[in-house]
């Protein structure tokens, strides 16, 4: 499947989420971030743009701002009003962080200080801006006007709401000033989505759980490439969007795994073919209720069931498996079977069972493989469809082996 769409990239450390664009092809997932690029004219400094605005009697500077040092975020342009001073320059964009106002550095200023400075900066205001590629999403999305809690008559303004600098400010000028218009040889800028990370999907894995826990991320997951490169946590606006993307990526990963299996099978004798392989989570032995899972790569090949810590890429890798069991001596067992993805979540909500419900495990889509002397490996997969494929594959691999051994 090929697919494009807007999502959020969530940073667990700063707890900020910012807009990104996802581009899915059969083999690669590309993450794009927005940036302002110079499309023509001479551009002295790609990162910083200095723009002079002429305050207009009606509409003022024609922009609104959000953010401020008190929220540990820069002050960012959150709205640009049509046909007013800021838009006429062609050089300012929503998401631009304000660095200087009339030569005064405002990077560590509060929201109120920047509002005050811009309102009292006279009729000609020179601002230096830099496009913030990783602006927290609340800075880019207009949140509407402040509620009654922030009373405008008192002059207070909330850093998370737009401060309307399109208001006149202290303009002494009654005659309309000349509009700020781009000069012919000045550089022209455009906002564009630029590729920042490509994650190859061959042998990639998807994780919906918070690291080291049984907590399912809500409408979010992470994609990890074979070499460990991670997309970071991709967050979606709705459960439906999240499920659609999850399904599309899983489908593409499965298709590539099938291709890899076909390649591997070309080098193997008919009695030693790969029936199925893929990523799972294995529950670590001896772990208590805060059950820990670790990624493992399983393969059903010929007469054996293999457990790897990393996928076998070459023929030599097959002897490097952590564990190898004979298929005639293993017992496959499904632990929980849910009818459809996320059906179990809805069922739990309906029954009023919370995240800490007291079951043997808190993850759906689990199976175990008993390997003799009562010892068993306990696995979990991310989707119900994957569980069905593992069940079918184990049945087929064991049947073929029983048939071979007669």
């Amino acid at each position: 499947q090929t697919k494009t769409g807007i999502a959020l990239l969530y940073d667990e450390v700063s707890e900020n989420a910012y807009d990104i664009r996802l581009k899915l092809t059969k083999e690669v997932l590309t993450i794009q971030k927005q940036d302002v690029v110079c499309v023509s004219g001479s551009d002295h400094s790609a990162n910083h743009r200095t723009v002079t605005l002429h305050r207009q009697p009606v509409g003022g500077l024609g922009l609104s701002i959000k953010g401020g040092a008190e929220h540990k975020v820069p002050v960012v342009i959150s709205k640009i009003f049509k046909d007013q001073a800021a838009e006429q320059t062609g050089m300012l964009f929503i998401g631009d962080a304000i660095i200087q106002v009339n030569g005064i550095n405002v990077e560590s200023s509060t929201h109120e200080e920047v509002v005050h400075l811009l309102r009292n900066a006279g009729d000609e205001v020179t601002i230096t801006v830099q496009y913030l590629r990783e602006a927290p999403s609340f800075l880019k999305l207009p949140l509407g006007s402040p509620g009654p809690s922030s009373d405008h008559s008192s002059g207070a303004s909330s850093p998370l709401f737009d401060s309307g600098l399109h208001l006149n400010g202290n303009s002494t000028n009654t005659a309309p000033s000349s509009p700020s218009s781009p000069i012919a040889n000045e550089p022209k800028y455009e906002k564009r989505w630029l590729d920042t990370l490509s994650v190859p999907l061959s042998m990639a894995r998807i994780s919906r759980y918070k690291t080291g826990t049984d907590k399912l991320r809500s409408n979010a997951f992470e994609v990890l490439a074979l070499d460990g490169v991670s997309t970071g946590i991709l967050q979606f606006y709705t459960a439906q969007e999240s499920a659609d993307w999850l399904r599309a990526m899983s489908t593409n990963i499965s298709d590539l795994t099938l291709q890899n299996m076909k390649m591997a099978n070309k080098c193997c004798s008919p009695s030693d073919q790969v029936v199925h392989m893929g990523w799972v989570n294995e529950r670590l032995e001896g772990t208590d209720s805060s059950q820990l899972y670790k990624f493992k790569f399983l393969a059903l090949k010929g007469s054996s069931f293999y457990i790897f810590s990393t996928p076998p890429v070459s023929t030599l890798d097959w002897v490097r498996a952590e564990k190898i069991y004979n298929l005639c001596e293993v017992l496959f067992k499904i632990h929980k079977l849910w009818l459809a993805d996320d059906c179990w979540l809805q069922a739990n909500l309906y029954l009023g069972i919370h995240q800490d419900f007291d079951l043997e495990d808190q993850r759906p889509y689990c199976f175990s493989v008993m390997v003799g002397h009562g010892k068993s490996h306990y696995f979990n997969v991310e989707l119900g469809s994957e569980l069905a494929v593992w069940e079918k594959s184990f049945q087929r691999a064991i049947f073929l082996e029983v048939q071979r051994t007669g």
Side-chain angles (χ1 to χ4, degrees):
Q1 295 190 1
T2 55
K3 197 170 160 68
T4 54
I6 302 292
L8 291 170
L9 191 57
Y10 179 69
D11 182 341
E12 279 184 311
V13 182
S14 67
E15 295 187 351
N16 278 334
Y18 50 87
D19 294 325
I20 52 159
R21 188 164 175 256
L22 295 176
K23 214 167 73 176
L24 179 69
T25 63
K26 282 182 175 177
E27 293 179 1
V28 179
L29 172 67
T30 306
I31 289 181
Q32 298 180 319
K33 291 181 188 172
Q34 235 176 7
D35 210 342
V36 169
V37 291
C38 181
V39 288
S40 68
S42 57
D43 178 25
H44 305 298
S45 146
N47 291 336
H48 293 132
R49 281 162 282 131
T50 299
V51 184
T52 301
L53 294 168
H54 299 282
R55 197 188 299 275
Q56 294 174 340
V58 177
L61 299 176
L63 54 85
S64 287
I65 60 169
K66 257 188 203 163
E70 68 271 47
H71 275 262
K72 299 186 177 63
V73 290
V75 170
V76 169
I77 295 177
S78 56
K79 274 187 189 171
I80 287 179
F81 293 86
K82 202 166 167 49
D83 300 329
Q84 293 186 12
E87 193 196 49
Q88 285 166 358
T89 65
M91 286 177 70
L92 293 174
F93 300 87
I94 290 173
D96 275 340
I98 298 175
I99 292 163
Q100 287 187 344
V101 176
N102 285 352
I104 299 165
N105 188 294
V106 294
E107 285 176 282
S108 52
S109 302
T110 64
H111 185 80
E112 206 54 60
E113 286 166 350
V114 179
V115 168
H116 182 75
L117 203 56
L118 285 165
R119 284 225 168 104
N120 299 295
D123 290 345
E124 205 170 81
V125 186
T126 300
I127 60 172
T128 300
V129 295
Q130 177 179 10
Y131 187 72
L132 207 60
R133 284 170 75 172
E134 297 178 6
S137 54
F138 72 79
L139 288 181
K140 289 193 181 178
L141 303 172
L143 293 181
S145 50
S149 59
S150 125
D151 180 19
H152 256 245
S153 59
S154 68
S157 51
S158 156
L160 303 190
F161 286 109
D162 295 311
S163 278
L165 297 171
H166 48 287
L167 303 170
N168 287 348
N170 300 342
S171 177
T172 50
N173 193 345
T174 47
S177 57
S178 60
S180 333
S181 55
I183 304 158
N185 65 348
E186 271 197 4
K188 269 184 80 176
Y189 294 91
E190 265 179 29
K191 212 190 242 188
R192 289 192 180 168
W193 289 104
L194 303 179
D195 293 359
T196 54
L197 180 69
S198 291
V199 177
L201 294 175
S202 178
M203 304 279 197
R205 57 189 197 259
I206 294 174
S207 174
R208 294 200 288 169
Y209 292 88
K210 288 182 181 166
T211 321
T213 71
D214 267 341
K215 292 215 166 26
L216 198 64
R217 291 193 172 102
S218 139
N219 302 348
F221 57 83
E222 182 178 12
V223 183
L224 295 115
L226 179 58
D227 59 3
V229 170
S230 161
T231 53
I233 295 149
L234 306 174
Q235 245 184 4
F236 297 87
Y237 290 101
T238 64
Q240 186 58 52
E241 255 183 299
S242 175
D244 289 349
W245 275 98
L246 192 65
R247 212 165 284 125
M249 286 182 207
S250 296
T251 303
N252 289 10
I253 291 171
S254 302
D255 291 350
L256 292 168
T257 303
L258 272 171
Q259 281 178 30
N260 288 327
M261 277 164 47
K262 281 178 185 164
M263 295 283 286
N265 285 340
K266 279 182 183 169
C267 320
C268 301
S269 67
S271 64
D272 200 26
Q273 299 280 298
V274 180
V275 172
H276 187 55
M277 60 185 190
W279 285 103
V280 297
N281 298 295
E282 180 173 19
R283 188 168 77 195
L284 301 184
E285 278 182 48
T287 47
D288 56 2
S289 57
S290 61
Q291 283 152 1
L292 285 176
Y293 283 82
K294 202 170 185 180
F295 277 115
K296 289 288 154 87
F297 192 85
L298 307 185
L300 299 168
K301 180 178 188 284
S303 60
S304 304
F305 164 49
Y306 294 82
I307 302 178
F308 295 91
S309 53
T310 54
V313 182
S314 70
T315 25
L316 288 172
D317 290 344
W318 289 92
V319 296
R320 300 197 183 117
E322 286 183 357
K323 300 263 172 28
I324 304 176
Y325 300 105
N326 187 303
L327 280 170
C328 284
E329 295 168 9
V330 303
L331 172 70
F332 175 89
K333 179 185 171 191
I334 277 189
H335 284 256
K336 273 197 209 168
L337 186 57
W338 300 95
L339 298 175
D341 283 349
D342 297 327
C343 195
W344 65 281
L345 265 181
Q346 285 154 14
N348 290 337
L349 291 171
Y350 178 70
L351 297 169
I353 306 172
H354 297 292
Q355 191 63 46
D356 54 347
F357 47 89
D358 194 22
L359 287 161
E360 187 196 345
D361 58 86
Q362 296 187 340
R363 296 185 175 208
Y365 319 134
C366 296
F367 66 90
S368 64
V369 181
M370 200 184 281
V371 292
H373 303 297
K375 186 183 181 316
S376 57
H377 291 274
Y378 191 94
F379 302 107
N380 148 262
V381 287
E382 302 283 337
L383 297 168
S385 52
E386 290 179 278
L387 188 60
V389 172
W390 275 113
E391 181 182 27
K392 216 158 139 186
S393 304
F394 262 95
Q395 288 172 352
R396 184 161 163 253
I398 293 170
F399 173 77
L400 289 170
E401 178 53 13
V402 170
Q403 207 175 34
R404 271 193 296 268
T405 51

